[in-house]
């Protein structure tokens, strides 16, 4: 008797982000009719090219959705005190619902002090300890501002109708911006969750038990096919440029599209998961075009939510 092996489902982050953004545009329009426009203030310190690109696309997306936005661009020499004063002025502004401090900040700036100075109601990155605590204590997602990347993961799972309740989820990575909040969200959604990190012994034995694997490590192709249970859902958060011929050959043998991208730019972006693991999965998020596509949409969602919650 032959067993039927079905191809994995590709969880299309770009399409899901598109759905979320069109829902948000309608919500912004409804807010405008009720007499307010959600507003986001972005603080970008110095001239880090990658940060400038991120911030520009955040501001552009605000414009597309009808969200008011403004940018504050102090020089790299700005002091913590000056930034605290800027945050205090934005906290006090009625037309600003969200405050985003683009990271990383210059080394001389006290990042945690600054993140904690943003009032929790305007903390659209969800990094404030009050918001982290609300997430951990199981407050409903509709009522809290939670970190954007893990919130995007939950949207992908939910909108793709991947069952979470009662399933075994393994999160690889324990950062405050991805791994830990992703684990908290999965627990809140009634998965049985294990969090792994660089000191985890026999990682593969743990990941092989997972129905849902979330890889947030920062190492190209780290999760191999041997580490994954066939049919599992794989959420690949990693964003790693690979720039050597050996890596291209190892992960994308015979892949003409990847080779073309590699030859054009000198690198190609891949996640933390080896494509051979995707091939045996039940569903997976590609890189690019998976989780990364959701992050800005979730920032917009948090801005609209912050505006609504502040007026509730
Ligand atoms: P991070 O702060 O560097 O955390 C990486 C985590 O991976 C750490 O907890 C680390 O363990 C763990 N780790 C490292 N080596 C490991 C190993 N050999 N075995 C098991 N665990 C290991 O990174 P992050 O900020 O969470 O980001 C993770 C990845 O996601 C990066 O590629 C980043 O670019 C990407 N990212 C993507 C988005 C998006 O929008 N798609 C957003 C944020 C981040 P220890 O704690 O023990 O060191």
């Amino acid at each position: 008797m032959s067993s039927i092996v079905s191809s994995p489902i590709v969880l299309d982050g770009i399409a899901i982000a598109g759905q979320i953004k069109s829902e948000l545009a309608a919500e912004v329009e409804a807010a405008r009719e009720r007499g307010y426009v959600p507003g986001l203030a972005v603080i970008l310190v110095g001239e880090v090219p990658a940060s400038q690109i991120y911030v520009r696309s955040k501001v552009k997306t605000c414009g597309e959705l009808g969200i008011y936005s403004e940018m504050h661009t102090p020089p790299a020499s700005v002091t913590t005190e000056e930034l605290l004063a800027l945050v205090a002025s934005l906290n006090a502004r009625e037309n600003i619902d969200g405050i985003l401090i683009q990271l990383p900040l210059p080394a001389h700036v006290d990042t945690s002090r600054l993140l904690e100075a943003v009032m929790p109601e305007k903390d659209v990155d969800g990094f404030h300890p009050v918001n982290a605590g609300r997430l951990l204590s199981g407050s409903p997602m509709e009522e809290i501002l939670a970190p954007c990347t893990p919130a995007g993961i939950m949207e992908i799972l939910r909108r793709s109708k991947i069952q979470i309740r009662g399933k075994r989820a393994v999160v690889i990575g324990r950062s405050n911006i991805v791994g830990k909040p992703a684990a908290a969200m999965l627990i809140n959604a009634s998965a049985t969750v294990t969090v792994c990190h660089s000191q985890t012994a026999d990682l593969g034995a743990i990941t092989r038990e997972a129905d849902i694997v979330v890889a947030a490590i920062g190492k190209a192709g780290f999760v191999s096919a041997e580490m994954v249970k066939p049919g599992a859902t794989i959420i690949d958060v990693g964003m790693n440029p690979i720039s050597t011929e050996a890596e291209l050959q190892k992960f994308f043998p015979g892949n003409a599209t990847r080779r073309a991208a590699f030859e054009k730019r000198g690198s190609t972006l891949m996640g933390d998961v080896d494509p051979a693991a995707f091939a045996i999965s039940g569903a997976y998020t590609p890189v690019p075009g998976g989780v990364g596509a959701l992050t800005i949409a979730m920032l917009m969602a948090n801005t609209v939510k912050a505006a609504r919650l502040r007026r509730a």
Side-chain angles (χ1 to χ4, degrees):
M1 199 170 67
S2 66
S3 62
I4 297 166
V5 181
S6 53
S7 314
I9 297 165
V10 180
L11 304 172
D12 184 346
I14 296 170
I16 294 172
Q19 273 170 20
I20 293 171
K21 284 192 265 185
S22 64
E23 290 163 15
L24 287 171
E27 201 176 335
V28 172
E29 184 52 37
R32 194 183 291 272
E33 280 162 17
R34 285 198 298 275
Y36 70 92
V37 176
L40 176 69
V42 181
I43 302 175
L44 171 64
V45 176
E47 300 193 353
V48 181
S51 296
Q52 287 171 325
I53 293 169
Y54 290 140
V55 162
R56 254 186 250 124
S57 60
K58 288 168 185 174
V59 168
K60 181 167 164 270
T61 312
C62 282
E64 287 163 9
L65 303 188
I67 295 172
Y68 168 78
S69 69
E70 61 183 41
M71 261 176 77
H72 298 264
T73 54
S77 58
V78 70
T79 63
T80 302
E81 295 306 325
E82 287 165 333
L83 286 169
L84 286 169
L86 173 58
V87 168
S89 73
L90 295 170
N91 279 341
R93 292 253 310 274
E94 185 50 33
N95 68 331
I96 295 298
D97 298 291
I99 301 169
L100 181 137
I101 303 167
Q102 186 65 42
L103 301 179
L105 292 169
H108 67 271
V109 173
D110 186 338
T111 301
S112 351
R113 209 171 142 212
L114 207 59
L115 293 179
E116 291 187 28
V118 174
M119 64 194 274
E121 292 76 9
K122 297 191 179 189
D123 167 40
V124 283
D125 257 336
F127 293 160
H128 194 286
V130 166
N131 288 322
R134 284 181 183 146
L135 173 62
L136 210 57
S137 64
S139 298
M141 286 291 275
E142 311 78 61
E143 293 171 21
I144 59 170
L145 299 176
C148 299
T149 300
I153 293 172
M154 298 308 285
E155 284 293 330
I156 292 175
L157 292 172
R158 194 171 65 75
R159 289 174 188 253
S160 308
K161 305 207 167 14
I162 305 282
Q163 195 186 328
I164 303 174
R165 178 181 300 271
K167 296 293 176 185
R168 294 284 309 256
V170 172
V171 180
I172 318 173
R174 55 175 164 179
S175 72
N176 289 327
I177 61 166
V178 188
K180 281 186 209 157
M185 288 174 199
L186 288 162
I187 291 170
N188 293 348
S190 296
T192 301
V193 181
T194 305
V195 180
C196 301
H197 45 74
S198 70
Q199 307 307 306
T200 299
D202 204 358
L203 181 63
I206 299 169
T207 55
R208 270 192 297 277
E209 293 198 343
D211 303 303
I212 300 170
V213 178
V214 177
I217 309 160
K219 291 200 160 106
F222 180 86
V223 177
S224 64
E226 292 69 41
M227 293 170 69
V228 174
K229 177 168 76 176
T233 297
I234 306 178
I235 303 294
D236 190 353
V237 187
M239 292 204 295
N240 314 294
I242 57 165
S243 53
T244 67
E245 179 65 33
E247 288 170 309
L248 187 70
Q249 284 295 341
K250 179 177 175 197
F251 296 121
F252 302 107
N255 184 325
T257 315
R258 286 288 186 170
R259 173 154 296 281
F262 183 83
E263 278 170 6
K264 189 168 168 208
R265 294 189 212 100
S267 68
T268 180
L269 192 70
M270 78 172 291
D272 291 339
V273 179
D274 186 330
F278 289 151
I280 62 156
S281 72
Y284 70 93
T285 57
V287 178
V291 175
L294 266 289
T295 301
I296 291 183
M298 298 316 294
L299 172 68
M300 299 296 121
N302 271 351
T303 304
V304 172
K305 193 196 285 180
R308 177 168 24 86
L309 293 175
R310 275 203 318 124
R311 288 165 181 82

